[in-house]
């Protein structure tokens, strides 16, 4: 059971008005029955600071849970499960909470009965059945907000305060310390701003539509003007088209009169031309009779000239062929001369070659025999072949040895690569779970030279379990927060690393400073052999390998050297194992057990949890095997190098033997050539002498050939003389015939010229006569056409003007037509101009005018609507401005007050801090927030309070001081803070506690609950404080048996005796 007590507080718990000093909504009394650690307990807090203190597990946080759940709070606020039935004491089915709140005119008593089986609650309000909703309304009316971290801060939610966004912190502050209407004004402003945007969009749309309508109507107005202009042009076109046929008729009539006159003149000229044409035709016929005999004679002369010319050409060709024949005879003789000269030269060369060969043969008679030298060279070649065969055998053996070493090296490399791939798999898992840590790991590998001491990669990468089965124990025992932490040997290296990756790269990473004195070899409290009877077979430290600094940290922080691991036998003997002394944490095959012993009663409490499968450490790399493989790899590489050097030496020796062998073969070849060269020379001399004899027998007689050539040329010249005589005879005949033809041609030219002149004159007269015939015919046809045209034009003009005759044209039409041009070209030009202008007005109709009038009315209606919406928007903005003043001015004043308190608190701690209202746009009310900036070291700048930039203790101090800055301004009836001082260092904890006492004990502040398991010595206390000591144990007195006065009296007496 558990019991609480408080001194100098009212005992009777009726729902009457509380004592002086309470504000409405303050807690007067808390009753708990079968709730968490309590069987039955009553807590009576004071009006100011209530310090709830007691050991861990005694039930301090149970009071906080009772306040939350008793005031209709949700279990999620506490962070301790999602079912309210879990808060009933173990072994009980029903538990209840009763809270009495101070209220003027009568206190409020709220009771919540919790049923564990169906996870349901029964609510009573002032002794009557009620609903949760009714209780929530009563709590809200008293300004109690258990879901607001600025008012109610459980232990599990302390870290979440610093993670709140600026907007969330502003809303929580408004609800906590602002006037009741401040948060409502803020919500109204956000809604107003949303509606203002809607109105602005509507006004913009209306204005845009109106502008477009005006533009369309302006375009329509222009179209209307153009429509009337087009109609004017169309009317003018109609008049021109009426005038045009009359002008065409008048022009046709005038043309008809001209054609008649022109026809009569053409007939008269034709008659005169016919009378002068007949005499010229008779004279042309006489000249033609004279020309016919002369032309026959000229044809005969032409035939004779052609035949003589052909014969001359034949004779000339024969002469040219004879000249060519003489040239060929002369050329043949010259070729014989050249051939005789070459023959003499070849005979001379053959004689010189024979003399040279004979001289060379004479030298061989004086040389010695080369046979002994050939035998010695052959013996040396045999020895070289034998040595080369031996070397080839040795090289083959070494090559097989190298192949074996190479295969072994590849196998070892594959095994090492598989191990490295397993490490990469670990890195990929780290990257998937926490990308910032992986990024920092890459940075570390690239900048490791910046650090002096050892720097180890995240633990999950450097810890290597010895068996995959052990991974679940190690991973479930070490938190993931530490598994992803970098471990540093030196403190300055750690600070340098965090400055680079956290401050400059803005990465969220964890780092650990290993203990200065190594703890990795600490001995366990008991040898593992003494625990084998319980099934324990190893301590956790022996299940994995890690670098020295990592193992030292785990032994120091997690005591891995003292955490035994057992099997199923341990699970079967669990009750006996729990009773063993010094047993704090241990593992069975599938579960983890934690054992706690009460400091007061030595009673044991245990908790157990199932082991989850390993996610990161189950990838096992055998370090010893990897080192062994690496050593084997080095040995293999050395063997490969030695074998390669031996093979290189043998290959060099083989190359030397090859060169020697080539030299010997060349020497053998030269000796063999020397031995057979004499016989070869004798054969060559014999062959050359035979060739000389044959050339001397086949000589050429040049004089005989020259005589034959002269006789041939003389015969050809005789033939040329005969041909030339015949050629000259035919040339003279052709000249005579040509002269006779010239005389006949001169007679023909005179007669032909006279005939041509007469024919030209006759043709000209005939052409003129034919032209006159055509003109007369054409004019007659034109006259007939114009007569018909005049009739048609008269009819057309009458139809267009809708009259029967010229006399019936109206005076108005006649006046309009008389104003128009009288020529067809002018009318056509004007008509084309008017039509062009009319065609320029396209897409126009009578509907344009109607559309224009309709849209004019539409524009007026739109202008009216736009004015109404604009006026409404102006009015709305005025309302927003008024609401903004009602909200923003008090808010700024409130934030200034908080900032002053907050800054003063930090100054008193030799630190710096500020609170400011933050926004990027004053009109965006949903973006307003509160920014907290703090600085704990003189060498740093002010930084925003975040969940990762400051340390845990710094965040706790900042959170506590912000809450204390709210304390004096608070309109909430009470505030609860649970174990916020646990992460602070002693200096900051003492300073914060002094600030809490000083602030929370003022008469102007509301109720304050400060829950902590421990306090520093020699702290400053105040008379206004209420100390609530929570005790737990089997020997506790019940509440009605505890006499506080007797307890204090005995305490004073014992103290006096010691003095």
């Amino acid at each position: 059971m558990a019991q609480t007590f408080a001194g100098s507080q009212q005992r009777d718990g009726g729902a009457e008005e509380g004592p002086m000093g309470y504000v409405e909504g303050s807690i007067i009394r808390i009753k708990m029955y079968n709730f968490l650690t309590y069987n039955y307990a009553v807590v009576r807090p004071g009006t100011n600071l209530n310090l709830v203190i007691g050991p861990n597990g005694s039930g301090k946080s149970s009071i906080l849970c009772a306040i939350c759940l008793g005031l209709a709070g949700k279990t999620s606020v506490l962070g301790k499960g999602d079912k309210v039935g879990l808060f009933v004491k173990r072994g009980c089915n029903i538990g209840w909470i009763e809270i009495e709140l101070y209220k003027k005119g009568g206190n409020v008593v709220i009771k919540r009965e919790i049923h564990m089986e169906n996870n349901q609650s029964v609510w009573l309000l002032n002794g009557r059945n009620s609903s949760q909703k009714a209780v929530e309304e009563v709590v809200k009316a008293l300004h109690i907000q258990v879901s607001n971290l600025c008012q109610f801060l459980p232990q599990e939610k302390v870290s979440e305060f610093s993670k709140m966004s600026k907007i969330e912190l502003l809303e929580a502050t408004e609800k906590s310390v602002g006037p009741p209407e401040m948060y409502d004004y803020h919500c109204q402003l956000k809604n107003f701003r949303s509606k203002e945007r809607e109105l602005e969009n509507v006004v913009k749309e209306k204005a845009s539509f109106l502008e477009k309508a005006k533009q369309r109507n302006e375009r329509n107005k222009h179209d209307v003007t153009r429509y009337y202009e087009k109609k004017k042009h169309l009317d003018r076109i109609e008049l021109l088209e009426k005038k045009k046929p009359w002008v065409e008729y008048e022009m046709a009539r005038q043309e008809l009169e001209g054609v008649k006159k022109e026809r009569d003149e053409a007939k008269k000229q034709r008659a005169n031309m016919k009378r002068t044409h007949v005499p010229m035709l008779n004279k042309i016929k006489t000249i033609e009779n004279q020309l016919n005999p002369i032309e026959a004679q000229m044809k005969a002369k032409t035939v004779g000239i052609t035949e003589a010319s052909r014969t001359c050409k034949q004779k000339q060709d024969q002469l040219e062929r004879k000249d060519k024949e003489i040239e060929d005879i002369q050329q043949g003789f010259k070729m014989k001369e050249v051939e005789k000269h070459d023959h003499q030269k070849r005979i001379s060369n053959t004689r010189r070659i024979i003399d040279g060969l004979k001289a060379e043969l004479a030298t061989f008679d004086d040389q010695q025999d080369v046979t002994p030298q050939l035998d010695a060279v052959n013996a040396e070649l045999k020895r070289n072949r034998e040595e080369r065969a031996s070397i080839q055998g040795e090289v083959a053996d070494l090559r097989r040895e190298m192949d074996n070493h190479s295969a072994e090296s590849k196998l070892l490399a594959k095994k090492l690569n598989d191990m490295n791939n397993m490490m990469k798999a670990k890195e990929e898992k780290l990257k998937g779970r926490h990308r910032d840590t992986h990024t920092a790991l890459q940075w570390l590998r690239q900048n490791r030279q910046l650090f002096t001491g050892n720097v180890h990669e995240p633990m999950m990468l450097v810890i290597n379990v010895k068996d995959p089965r052990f991974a679940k124990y190690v991973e479930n025992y070490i938190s993931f927060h530490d598994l992803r932490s970098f471990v540093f040997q030196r403190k300055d290296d750690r600070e340098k690393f965090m400055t680079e990756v956290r401050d400059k790269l803005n990465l969220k990473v964890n780092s650990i400073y290993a203990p200065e004195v190594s703890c990795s070899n600490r001995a366990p409290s008991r040898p593992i052999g003494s625990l084998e009877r319980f099934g324990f077979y190893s301590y956790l430290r022996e299940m994995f390998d890690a670098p020295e600094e990592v193992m030292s940290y785990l032994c120091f922080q997690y005591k891995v050297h003292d955490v035994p691991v057992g099997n199923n036998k341990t699970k079967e003997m669990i009750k006996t194992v729990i009773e063993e002394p010094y047993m704090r944490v241990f593992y069975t095959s599938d579960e983890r057990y934690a054992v706690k012993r009460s400091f007061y009663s030595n009673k044991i409490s245990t908790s157990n949890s199932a082991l989850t499968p390993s996610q990161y450490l189950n990838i096992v790399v055998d370090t010893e095997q990897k080192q062994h493989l690496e050593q084997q790899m080095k040995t293999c590489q050395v063997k490969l190098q030695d074998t390669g050097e031996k093979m290189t030496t043998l290959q060099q020796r083989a190359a030397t033997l090859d060169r020697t062998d080539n030299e010997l073969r060349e020497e053998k070849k030269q000796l063999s050539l020397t031995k057979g060269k004499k016989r070869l020379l004798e054969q060559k001399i014999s062959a050359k002498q035979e060739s000389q004899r044959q050339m001397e027998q086949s000589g050429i007689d040049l004089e005989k050939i020259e005589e034959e050539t002269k006789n041939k040329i003389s015969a050809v010249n005789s033939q040329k003389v005969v041909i030339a005589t015949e050629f000259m005879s035919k040339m003279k005949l052709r000249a005579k015939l040509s002269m006779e033809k010239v005389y006949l041609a001169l007679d023909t030219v005179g007669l032909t010229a006279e005939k041509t002149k007469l024919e030209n004159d006759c043709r000209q007269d005939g052409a003129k006569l034919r032209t006159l015939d055509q003109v007369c015919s054409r004019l007659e046809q034109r006259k007939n056409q114009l007569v018909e045209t005049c009739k048609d034009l008269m009819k057309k003009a009458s139809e267009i003007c809708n009259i029967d005759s010229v006399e019936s044209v109206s005076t108005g039409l006649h006046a309009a037509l008389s104003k128009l041009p009288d020529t067809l070209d002018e009318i056509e030009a004007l008509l084309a101009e008017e039509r062009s202008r009319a065609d320029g007005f396209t897409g126009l109709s009578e509907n344009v005018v109607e559309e224009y009038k309709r849209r004019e009315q539409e524009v007026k209606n739109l202008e009216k609507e736009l004015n109404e919406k604009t006026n409404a928007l102006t009015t709305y903005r005025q309302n927003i401005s008024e609401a903004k003043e009602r909200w923003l001015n008090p808010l700024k004043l409130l934030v200034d007050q908080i900032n002053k308190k907050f800054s003063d608190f930090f100054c008193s701690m030799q630190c710096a801090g500020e609170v400011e209202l933050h926004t990027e746009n004053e009109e965006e009310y949903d973006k307003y927030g509160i920014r907290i900036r703090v600085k704990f070291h003189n060498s740093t700048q002010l930084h925003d309070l975040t969940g990762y930039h400051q340390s845990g203790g710094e965040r706790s101090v900042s959170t506590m001081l912000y809450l204390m800055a709210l304390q004096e301004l608070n309109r909430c009836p009470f505030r609860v803070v649970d174990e916020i001082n646990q992460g602070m260092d002693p200096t900051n904890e003492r300073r914060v506690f002094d600030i809490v006492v000083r602030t929370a004990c003022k008469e102007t502040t509301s109720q304050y609950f400060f829950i902590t398991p421990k306090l520093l010595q020699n702290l400053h206390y105040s008379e206004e404080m209420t100390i609530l000591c929570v005790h737990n144990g089997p020997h506790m007195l019940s509440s009605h048996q505890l006499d506080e006065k007797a307890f204090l009296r005995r305490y004073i007496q014992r103290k006096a005796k010691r003095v």
Side-chain angles (χ1 to χ4, degrees):
M1 65 178 292
Q3 174 67 39
T4 64
F5 68 88
S8 67
Q9 296 296 328
Q10 181 173 314
R11 289 292 181 177
D12 51 340
E16 299 177 358
E17 183 176 347
M20 294 300 293
Y22 285 104
V23 299
E24 279 201 351
S26 295
I27 298 174
I28 295 179
R29 171 175 52 84
I30 305 171
K31 281 187 180 181
M32 295 169 285
Y33 174 74
N34 289 341
F35 185 77
L36 292 176
T37 59
Y38 296 104
N39 292 335
Y40 176 80
V42 180
V43 180
R44 300 179 183 275
T47 59
N48 295 102
L49 176 61
N50 293 274
L51 183 64
V52 183
I53 186 169
N56 286 327
S58 61
K60 305 183 302 301
S61 296
S62 299
I63 299 173
L64 179 142
C65 296
I67 295 173
C68 176
L69 298 180
L71 297 177
K74 292 181 171 55
T75 57
S76 59
V77 174
L78 300 170
K80 292 186 176 181
D82 56 350
K83 295 181 180 180
V84 70
L86 297 176
F87 290 84
V88 176
K89 187 172 183 178
R90 184 177 297 180
C92 302
N93 293 324
I94 299 176
W96 53 263
I97 309 159
E98 184 177 278
I99 299 177
E100 180 179 355
L101 304 174
Y102 171 70
K103 185 180 180 183
K104 294 179 181 179
N107 294 346
V108 176
V109 179
I110 300 172
K111 184 175 182 180
R112 182 176 188 174
E113 189 175 287
I114 304 171
H115 296 261
M116 188 185 69
E117 290 183 358
N118 55 7
N119 199 46
Q120 297 294 321
S121 297
V122 177
W123 295 88
L124 285 84
L125 188 59
N126 291 329
R128 297 181 180 180
N129 287 334
S130 182
S131 64
Q132 182 173 344
K133 186 175 182 180
V135 173
E136 289 175 351
E137 291 177 354
V138 170
V139 170
K140 183 178 179 181
L142 293 173
H143 307 301
I144 298 173
Q145 306 165 16
V146 292
S147 61
N148 189 341
L149 295 183
C150 289
Q151 180 177 348
F152 194 89
L153 191 62
Q155 178 182 355
E156 288 76 9
K157 299 290 183 176
V158 170
S159 62
E160 291 187 11
F161 184 89
S162 59
K163 297 179 182 177
M164 291 174 67
S165 67
K166 300 178 180 66
I167 298 172
E168 293 172 340
L169 183 59
L170 173 61
E171 292 179 355
T173 303
E174 287 177 330
K175 294 176 183 177
S176 177
V177 299
E181 66 278 2
M182 178 177 284
Y183 181 69
D184 295 336
Y185 285 159
H186 191 184
C187 293
Q188 288 177 6
L189 276 172
K190 287 190 280 188
N191 295 331
F192 285 166
R193 177 57 181 157
S194 177
K195 291 180 180 178
E196 182 187 12
R197 290 195 194 97
E198 294 177 3
L199 269 178
E200 287 175 349
N201 292 334
V202 170
V203 169
K204 287 180 181 178
E205 289 175 2
K206 292 288 183 185
S208 176
F209 191 72
L210 175 61
E211 183 62 27
K212 290 178 181 178
K214 286 181 176 180
Q215 291 175 0
R216 284 197 301 269
N217 219 30
E218 189 63 29
R219 288 195 297 270
N220 287 350
K221 182 178 180 181
H222 181 61
D223 290 343
V224 171
T225 304
R226 292 172 66 240
Y227 172 77
Y228 287 121
E229 289 181 2
K230 180 178 181 180
K231 192 170 184 308
K232 179 181 177 182
H233 291 300
L234 292 175
D235 292 342
R236 191 169 177 82
I237 288 170
E238 184 179 359
L239 284 175
L240 287 168
E241 287 178 344
K242 287 180 179 181
K243 177 79 179 277
K244 182 179 177 182
W246 290 107
V247 174
E248 289 175 346
Y249 167 73
E250 182 61 26
M251 291 177 65
R253 188 186 64 78
Q254 292 176 3
E255 186 180 357
L256 177 60
E257 294 298 328
V259 168
K260 285 180 180 180
K261 292 179 180 180
E262 190 176 352
R263 183 199 59 179
D264 293 343
E265 185 65 29
K267 284 181 178 181
K268 185 177 179 181
Q269 289 180 2
R270 184 178 62 178
N272 294 333
M273 186 68 69
K274 283 181 178 181
R275 285 193 297 269
T276 61
H277 188 63
V278 174
M280 281 192 292
L281 292 175
N282 293 332
K283 193 173 182 178
I284 290 172
K285 190 173 181 181
T286 301
I287 294 172
E288 287 178 351
N289 292 333
Q290 294 175 1
L291 283 172
N292 289 333
I294 296 173
E295 290 178 353
Q297 293 177 15
M298 288 183 66
K299 288 181 180 179
K301 300 293 183 186
T302 301
V303 171
I305 293 170
T306 302
E307 182 63 25
S309 297
R310 184 180 60 79
T311 303
C312 290
K313 181 70 170 75
Q314 291 176 354
K315 296 303 178 180
Q316 188 176 5
D317 292 341
Q318 290 176 4
L319 289 173
E320 290 177 355
R321 285 196 294 272
K322 293 301 178 181
D323 291 337
K324 178 65 176 171
E325 187 177 347
I326 291 171
E327 290 179 0
D328 291 342
I329 293 170
Q330 292 174 345
Q331 185 66 28
F333 177 73
K334 290 179 180 178
M335 290 177 66
K336 288 295 182 179
E337 288 180 336
V338 172
E339 184 179 352
K340 182 173 180 60
H341 182 267
D342 291 341
H343 185 73
Q344 293 294 332
K345 190 175 181 180
R346 285 198 299 273
I347 292 172
S348 176
N349 290 336
T350 303
R351 287 174 181 168
R352 284 196 300 272
I353 292 171
I354 290 171
D355 294 339
L357 291 173
K358 287 180 178 181
E360 187 177 355
L361 179 61
T363 60
F364 279 96
D365 295 335
D366 301 332
Q367 292 181 359
Q368 61 181 0
D369 189 10
V370 296
T371 302
Q373 296 179 11
L374 278 172
D375 294 340
V377 169
N378 288 330
E380 185 68 23
L381 284 171
K382 184 178 179 181
R383 286 194 298 274
N384 283 355
R385 282 197 297 270
E386 291 174 355
E387 185 177 356
R388 188 164 57 249
S390 174
I391 290 173
Q392 288 175 351
E394 292 181 13
V395 168
D397 294 340
L398 290 175
R399 185 171 286 109
R400 284 192 295 273
E401 186 177 349
M402 283 189 71
D403 291 340
N404 293 335
H405 291 326
S406 179
E408 183 182 359
S409 176
K410 289 180 181 178
L411 181 62
L412 293 172
K414 183 177 181 301
K415 291 181 179 180
L416 287 172
N417 187 49
D418 292 341
M419 290 185 175
N420 292 331
N421 289 338
M422 295 170 71
M423 292 300 295
K424 289 180 180 178
K426 279 188 174 183
E427 290 184 23
E428 289 299 322
K429 286 190 176 184
L430 174 63
K431 183 179 180 181
R433 178 70 182 274
H434 205 276
R435 185 174 292 273
D436 282 5
T437 302
H438 185 267
T439 304
L441 172 63
Q442 302 303 318
W443 182 91
L444 174 63
R445 289 175 176 174
Q446 296 173 3
N447 300 276
R448 194 177 290 273
Q449 71 280 359
L450 300 177
F451 304 100
T452 307
N454 293 333
V455 181
H456 298 285
E457 296 179 356
M459 284 191 193
M460 63 178 290
L461 299 181
V462 299
I463 289 177
N464 187 51
V465 295
K466 298 179 179 179
D467 191 307
R469 294 173 300 171
F470 300 158
K472 62 181 179 180
Y473 303 116
V474 180
E475 191 168 319
N476 277 273
Y477 188 62
I478 303 172
S479 68
F480 181 74
H481 180 86
D482 280 346
L483 282 176
R484 66 182 179 88
S485 297
F486 295 84
V487 182
F488 291 83
Q489 183 184 23
R490 295 170 59 91
K491 192 173 183 180
D492 56 343
D493 285 345
R494 177 176 179 267
E495 292 175 354
K496 185 187 297 182
F497 176 79
M498 295 304 288
T499 300
E500 293 291 335
V501 300
R502 184 185 66 185
D503 298 342
K504 294 183 180 180
L505 300 180
N506 199 25
L507 298 177
K508 299 177 182 179
V509 297
N510 296 328
S511 61
I512 293 171
Y513 170 55
E516 294 182 359
V517 179
S518 177
C519 305
S520 60
N521 295 320
R522 280 186 179 178
S525 58
R526 299 175 64 182
I528 192 64
S530 64
L531 301 176
E532 288 180 352
R533 67 181 188 275
F534 301 118
F536 293 109
Y537 57 90
S538 174
Y539 282 109
L540 199 61
R541 180 178 62 183
E542 277 64 46
M543 288 185 166
F544 65 92
D545 295 322
E548 173 70 21
E549 287 79 8
V550 176
M551 186 65 80
S552 175
Y553 172 79
L554 294 177
C555 290
F556 175 79
Q557 184 68 25
Y558 288 92
K559 307 293 188 295
V560 294
H561 63 285
D562 218 14
V563 178
V565 180
N567 50 28
N568 291 331
K569 181 180 179 181
T570 309
K571 189 172 183 179
E572 293 171 358
M573 301 177 66
I574 193 65
K575 291 184 178 179
T576 305
V577 174
I578 291 172
E579 297 295 334
E580 280 293 306
Y582 307 109
M583 195 69 73
R584 296 291 180 264
V585 179
F586 62 88
Y587 285 91
T588 65
S589 57
D590 298 313
E591 292 181 312
R592 170 185 171 177
Y593 284 83
V595 181
K596 292 183 179 179
R597 296 179 183 274
S598 174
F599 183 77
Y600 304 99
S601 62
N602 205 33
K603 188 175 181 181
I604 298 173
S605 63
T606 63
S607 64
N608 65 306
S609 59
L611 296 179
T612 58
S614 173
Q615 297 182 19
Y616 307 104
L617 301 181
N618 54 356
I619 301 175
V620 179
V621 179
D622 191 336
T623 307
E624 293 182 358
Q625 183 183 1
K626 185 178 180 183
Q627 293 175 351
H628 181 63
L629 288 174
E630 289 174 347
Q631 185 62 38
Q632 284 183 317
M633 183 65 124
K634 291 180 181 178
T635 304
C636 189
Q637 293 295 337
V638 171
K639 289 180 179 179
L640 275 173
Q641 187 176 356
D642 293 342
T643 306
E645 291 175 354
K646 291 178 181 179
M647 184 176 288
T648 301
T649 303
L650 290 174
Q651 288 174 346
Q652 290 174 351
R653 176 57 183 162
T656 303
L657 290 175
D658 287 340
R659 288 193 299 271
T660 305
D661 191 66
N662 290 336
E663 292 172 357
L664 291 172
R665 288 180 185 277
E666 183 63 27
E667 184 180 356
K668 180 180 178 181
K669 180 179 177 182
Q670 294 298 327
L671 291 173
S672 298
L673 288 174
T674 301
K675 186 175 181 180
K677 197 168 185 180
K678 182 177 180 182
R679 185 172 60 255
L680 181 63
L681 287 172
E682 292 174 349
Q683 293 174 356
K684 285 183 178 182
I685 290 170
S686 177
K688 289 295 180 181
Q689 288 175 344
E690 179 64 23
S691 175
Q692 179 185 355
R693 185 181 60 78
Q694 291 177 358
M695 284 189 292
E696 288 175 347
Q697 290 176 356
S698 62
I700 298 174
D701 188 356
L702 192 60
E703 294 178 356
K704 183 180 179 181
I705 292 172
E706 184 178 1
E707 183 64 29
E708 291 176 354
T709 299
K710 289 179 179 179
N711 293 334
K712 288 179 182 179
I713 292 173
S714 178
V716 173
N717 285 332
S718 298
Q719 294 173 5
K720 282 178 67 179
V721 170
V722 175
I723 294 170
T725 302
E726 293 175 356
F727 175 73
M728 292 304 296
S729 175
K730 291 296 181 181
M731 286 293 290
K732 291 176 181 179
L733 177 60
R734 188 179 67 176
K736 179 182 177 184
L737 292 175
S738 296
M739 289 301 295
E740 293 175 352
K741 183 180 178 181
V742 169
Y743 294 141
L744 290 173
L746 290 174
D747 294 340
T748 303
V749 168
L751 293 172
T752 302
E754 185 178 358
K755 178 187 174 184
T756 301
K757 182 178 182 304
L758 291 172
E759 285 178 347
N760 287 337
D761 293 342
C762 189
R763 276 196 298 274
Q764 289 177 1
D765 290 343
K768 290 179 181 179
L769 188 59
R770 286 192 299 275
T771 300
L772 288 173
D773 288 339
Q774 292 174 0
V775 169
C776 290
S777 176
R778 179 174 54 78
L779 291 174
E780 186 65 28
Q781 291 177 2
R782 180 60 179 162
K783 182 197 71 130
N784 295 333
Q785 290 176 357
L786 287 173
V787 170
E788 293 299 323
T789 301
C790 287
K791 291 179 181 178
D792 293 339
L793 290 174
M794 174 61 74
K795 183 179 178 181
K796 180 180 178 182
S798 300
E799 289 175 353
I800 290 176
C801 295
N802 197 18
I803 59 174
D804 296 332
S805 62
V806 180
E807 290 78 10
S808 58
V809 177
S810 64
T811 306
L813 179 59
H814 186 272
L817 293 177
S818 63
K819 295 179 180 179
L820 298 175
D822 293 328
T823 63
L824 187 59
D825 291 340
E826 292 178 339
I827 288 176
E828 288 288 354
L830 187 57
L831 190 58
E833 182 182 353
E834 294 295 333
R835 283 175 178 166
S836 176
R837 291 180 178 178
D839 291 341
F841 300 96
T842 57
L844 300 176
S845 66
E846 294 180 359
N847 295 332
V848 173
V849 179
E850 296 177 3
E851 181 71 14
Y852 175 74
K853 293 179 180 178
R854 184 183 65 77
R855 283 184 176 168
E856 260 192 341
Q857 185 60 39
E858 184 179 327
V859 167
K860 292 179 181 178
N861 295 337
L862 284 172
E863 287 176 342
K864 183 179 179 182
E865 291 180 10
L866 180 60
N867 289 333
E868 292 174 356
K869 293 294 182 181
T870 303
N871 293 335
L873 178 60
T874 302
T875 304
Y876 208 80
R877 285 175 174 168
Q878 291 175 353
N879 295 336
I880 291 176
S881 179
E882 294 173 1
K884 180 180 179 181
E885 290 181 2
R886 292 196 301 270
W887 171 73
L888 188 57
N889 292 337
L891 177 61
K892 287 181 177 179
L893 180 60
L894 178 64
V895 173
D896 289 342
Q897 293 174 342
I898 296 172
N899 179 49
K900 186 176 184 306
K901 293 288 183 183
F902 189 76
S903 300
D904 292 344
F905 291 153
F906 263 84
C907 287
S908 66
M909 297 177 63
Q910 287 83 46
C911 299
E914 65 179 23
V915 178
E916 63 180 7
L917 185 64
H918 178 266
T919 183
E920 296 178 357
N921 184 353
E922 287 193 0
E923 303 303 323
E924 298 296 334
Y925 304 107
D926 55 346
K927 297 295 191 297
Y928 275 78
I930 285 182
R931 180 166 66 179
I932 301 176
R933 305 180 71 206
V934 295
K935 182 178 75 169
F936 288 89
H937 307 286
N938 293 330
S939 60
T940 61
Q941 301 294 324
L942 286 169
H943 288 287
D944 290 355
L945 179 64
T946 62
Y948 61 88
H949 193 280
Q950 290 79 18
S951 66
E954 291 171 348
R955 291 197 298 270
S956 298
V957 170
S958 303
T959 302
M960 193 67 186
L961 294 184
Y962 184 78
L963 296 179
M964 295 315 301
L966 302 181
Q967 181 66 17
E968 292 186 30
L969 307 172
N970 203 1
R971 65 180 181 86
C972 61
F974 62 86
R975 176 174 284 106
V976 179
V977 178
D978 186 12
E979 297 193 17
I980 197 171
N981 61 328
Q982 293 307 295
M984 302 181 191
D985 59 77
T987 302
N988 285 338
E989 184 177 355
R990 184 177 300 277
R991 291 172 177 173
V992 169
F993 187 83
D994 290 343
I995 293 172
V996 171
V997 172
R998 202 166 54 244
T999 305
C1001 291
K1002 293 181 180 179
E1003 295 182 359
T1004 57
T1005 60
S1006 57
Q1007 207 173 32
Y1008 199 97
F1009 290 86
F1010 188 87
I1011 301 173
T1012 179
K1014 64 179 182 64
L1015 288 173
L1016 299 174
Q1017 296 181 357
N1018 301 320
L1019 292 174
H1020 172 71
Y1021 296 91
S1022 171
E1023 293 295 332
E1024 286 75 16
M1025 289 175 61
T1026 300
I1027 310 297
L1028 299 174
C1029 297
V1030 182
H1031 298 278
N1032 185 309
H1035 306 296
M1036 287 293 298
L1037 294 174
S1038 62
S1039 58
H1040 64 276
Q1041 292 177 326
L1042 182 63
D1043 187 344
E1044 297 174 15
K1045 293 181 179 179
F1047 174 80
L1048 293 173
R1049 186 169 57 252
R1050 287 195 299 272
Y1051 172 76
I1052 294 171
Q1053 290 174 355
R1054 285 197 300 270
K1055 187 175 181 181
K1057 288 179 180 179
R1058 286 197 297 270
V1059 173

